[in-house]
């Protein structure tokens, strides 16, 4: 319901008195499932702080991922949103969320489903669409993600950003999400940092990525073994590497394959054994990258040069992109096994590391 507003002012939305999150958990006998890496955030000051990182939400359309017992949900509704879409996989939480839905008539739509398969292309009204070059649409994704799903989900959404589909069919939709502190550090790590990883490059070449603040583990129920980072993503108008997502991911994954070795060692895995050294040298010379740098020392522009040079080589040899280094190792191992009748031969260093 709305409180009466003074003439000429917009009425502020306020939730009516409701059971506390703790009472909801007791009422429906909810228990965080370890196998789903669930952790509840009961402190509404912290849920308010998470929602505040999303920016101005008045009259916005918001999708909350994995609302659970509804702590962040209350903070989102209190921010005065126009519509709130809740996507919850665990059926145990639906009755508690329905209490919130009834307290905010017409504002909440609950979907019992998996965010990994949910079609976000039709989640919001068409009139909210903006051109990619425009300011971001008045659409936000917010979520306290289970640790088990956070990394695959952000990779999926980064691919959506690259292809401008899924939730980004509406424009540069912003995301405010929680991750394990270590994953948050990887997402935001600069060149030279020990946390610099595949995730750093994939996120930062497509988005402005900001680590907002860290929530201590003891704020959650049950207490996880790690602290939690809140990270905000805004897709860039132009990606820093203008190549297909799959190509960038393959190059970046290969470079970080042997993160403690020189970067040329990982880059070698892009090429078949026949001619591997020559093609690796060709790629690194074209990209103007020092082969003795470690993977975490490479800058974004160096990754861009590597991707552009690799793309050129793939255009010249269409079969190159299909090459799979792990599959080559597997085939070699099978061949050795067939040739040696005295049992399994020792694995090579490459096989051990992979």
């Amino acid at each position: 319901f709305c409180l009466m507003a003074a003439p000429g002012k917009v009425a502020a939305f306020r939730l009516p008195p409701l059971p506390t999150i703790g009472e909801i958990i007791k009422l429906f006998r909810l228990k965080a499932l370890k196998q789903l890496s669930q952790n509840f955030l009961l402190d509404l000051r912290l849920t308010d702080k998470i929602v505040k990182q999303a920016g101005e939400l008045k009259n916005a359309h918001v999708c909350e991922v994995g609302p659970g017992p509804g702590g962040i949900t209350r903070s989102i509704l209190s921010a005065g949103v126009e519509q709130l879409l809740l996507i919850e996989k665990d059926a145990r939480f639906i009755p508690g969320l329905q209490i919130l839905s009834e307290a905010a008539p017409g504002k909440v739509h609950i979907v019992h489903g998996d965010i990994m398969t949910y079609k976000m292309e039709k989640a919001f009204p068409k009139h909210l669409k903006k051109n990619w070059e425009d300011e971001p649409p008045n659409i936000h994704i917010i979520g306290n993600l289970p640790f088990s799903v956070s990394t695959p989900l952000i990779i999926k959404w980064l691919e959506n950003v690259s292809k401008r589909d899924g939730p980004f069919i509406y424009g540069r939709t912003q995301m405010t999400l929680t991750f394990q502190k270590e994953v948050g550090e990887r997402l935001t790590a600069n060149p030279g940092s020990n946390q610099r990883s595949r995730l750093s490059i994939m996120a930062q070449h497509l988005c402005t990525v900001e680590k907002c603040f860290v929530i201590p583990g003891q704020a959650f129920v049950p207490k996880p073994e790690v602290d939690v980072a809140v990270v905000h993503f805004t897709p860039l108008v132009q990606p820093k590497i203008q190549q297909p997502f799959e190509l960038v991911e393959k190059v970046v994954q290969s470079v970080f394959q042997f993160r403690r070795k020189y970067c040329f060692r990982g880059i070698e895995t892009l090429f078949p054994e026949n001619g591997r050294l020559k093609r690796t040298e060709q790629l690194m010379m074209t990209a103007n990258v020092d082969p003795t740098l470690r993977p975490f020392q490479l800058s974004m522009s160096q990754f861009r040069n590597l991707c552009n040079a690799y793309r050129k080589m793939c255009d010249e040899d269409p079969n190159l992109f299909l090459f799979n280094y792990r599959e080559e190792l597997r085939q070699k191992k099978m061949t050795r096994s067939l040739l040696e009748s005295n049992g399994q031969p020792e694995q090579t260093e490459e096989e051990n590391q992979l």
Side-chain angles (χ1 to χ4, degrees), residues 28-46:
F28 295 105
R29 297 179 180 177
L30 301 174
K31 187 179 180 183
L33 298 180
K34 193 171 183 180
Q35 64 266 36
L36 296 179
S37 60
Q38 292 174 338
N39 298 286
F40 304 150
L41 190 55
L42 309 186
D43 188 335
L44 292 182
R45 291 169 302 176
L46 284 172

Side-chain angles (χ1 to χ4, degrees), residues 8 46 63 97 102 106 111 128 157 173 176 188 198 227-228 237 254 271 278 318-319:
L46 284 172
C63 171
L97 296 173
E102 288 160 12
V111 172
L128 295 173
W157 276 338
T173 301
T176 308
T188 56
R198 170 183 76 119
D227 294 338
V228 172
V237 174
S254 297
F271 303 107
K278 184 180 176 184
N319 291 321

Side-chain angles (χ1 to χ4, degrees), residues 286-346:
T286 306
N288 192 27
V289 171
D290 180 351
T292 63
L293 289 172
R294 311 282 178 184
F296 60 86
Q297 294 176 308
L298 296 182
S299 67
M300 188 64 75
S301 62
Q302 287 170 316
F303 273 104
R304 181 175 61 239
N305 292 348
L306 287 169
C307 290
N308 290 344
Y310 180 64
R311 170 65 185 270
K312 192 178 175 194
M313 295 173 82
C314 289
D315 288 344
E316 292 165 359
D317 177 5
N319 291 321
L320 180 58
F321 187 73
L322 299 175
F323 170 70
N324 185 311
Y325 181 71
R326 289 169 185 265
E327 181 60 25
E328 183 185 74
L329 281 183
R330 195 178 71 83
Q331 293 290 348
K332 282 168 69 178
K333 189 175 177 181
M334 284 175 61
T335 304
R336 280 206 320 277
S337 297
L338 289 170
L339 291 174
E340 297 191 19
S341 55
N342 295 332
Q344 182 70 27
E346 283 190 22

Side-chain angles (χ1 to χ4, degrees), residues 53-261:
Q53 304 305 316
E56 178 55 63
L57 293 186
K58 192 158 186 63
N59 301 321
H61 287 247
V62 176
C63 171
E64 186 189 352
V65 183
I72 293 177
T73 314
R74 296 184 185 212
S75 295
I76 295 171
L77 286 170
S78 297
V81 298
E82 179 76 19
Q83 289 287 322
L84 175 56
L85 169 65
L86 303 176
I87 301 176
E88 178 54 65
K89 184 178 179 180
D90 192 334
R92 297 174 306 142
F93 296 120
I94 302 298
L97 296 173
Q98 283 170 338
I99 290 177
L100 282 175
S101 177
E102 288 160 12
K107 282 186 178 286
V108 180
H109 177 54
I110 302 169
V111 172
H112 176 213
D114 187 346
I115 189 62
M116 294 297 286
T117 55
Y118 183 72
K119 301 294 183 190
M120 294 284 281
E121 292 87 345
K122 297 177 181 176
F124 305 104
K126 288 181 181 178
H127 73 264
L128 295 173
K129 280 189 181 183
K130 293 276 191 81
N131 292 324
W132 195 260
E133 297 73 24
D134 294 343
E135 286 297 304
N138 202 12
I139 294 172
H140 296 262
I141 297 172
I142 299 174
N144 174 30
L145 305 176
F147 295 155
S148 59
V149 78
S150 60
T151 301
L153 183 57
I154 194 58
I155 288 290
K156 176 182 187 290
W157 276 338
L158 289 170
E159 184 171 3
N160 290 146
V161 171
S162 175
K163 296 175 178 177
R164 300 182 186 181
D165 60 12
F168 308 98
I169 203 167
Y170 301 92
R172 295 186 296 121
T173 301
Q174 297 178 77
M175 302 182 284
T176 308
L177 307 167
T178 62
F179 298 89
Q180 288 183 54
K181 184 185 173 188
E182 185 182 336
V183 177
E185 287 170 349
R186 286 181 197 160
L187 284 162
T188 56
N190 293 318
S193 163
N194 283 334
Q195 294 291 352
R196 186 80 160 172
S197 67
R198 170 183 76 119
L199 212 48
S200 318
I201 310 303
M202 298 310 295
Q204 293 171 33
H205 104 84
L206 290 163
C207 298
T208 300
V209 190
E210 303 164 89
K211 191 168 84 173
C212 305
F213 65 98
V214 173
I215 305 173
Q218 62 257 33
F220 293 86
V221 177
K223 176 183 176 293
E225 294 176 6
V226 295
D227 294 338
V228 172
V230 179
V231 183
H232 184 76
F233 302 81
T234 306
L236 295 165
V237 174
Q238 288 290 346
K240 292 179 180 173
I241 304 172
Q242 296 194 27
Q243 294 294 350
F245 183 86
E246 294 82 1
L247 185 141
V248 177
E249 188 173 42
K250 184 174 185 183
V251 171
V252 173
Q253 255 180 339
S254 297
V255 170
F256 280 102
Q257 192 115 243
F258 303 99
R259 63 173 291 116
R260 290 184 179 85
K261 293 181 179 277

Side-chain angles (χ1 to χ4, degrees), residues 263-272 275-287 289 291 306 313:
C263 64
F264 80 83
R265 184 64 196 85
I267 290 168
E268 281 185 324
T269 65
L270 289 167
F271 303 107
R276 175 170 289 154
L277 185 59
K278 184 180 176 184
R279 294 174 99 173
T280 302
E281 288 173 350
Q282 179 191 342
L283 176 62
M284 303 216 70
M285 283 181 66
T286 306
V289 171
L306 287 169
M313 295 173 82

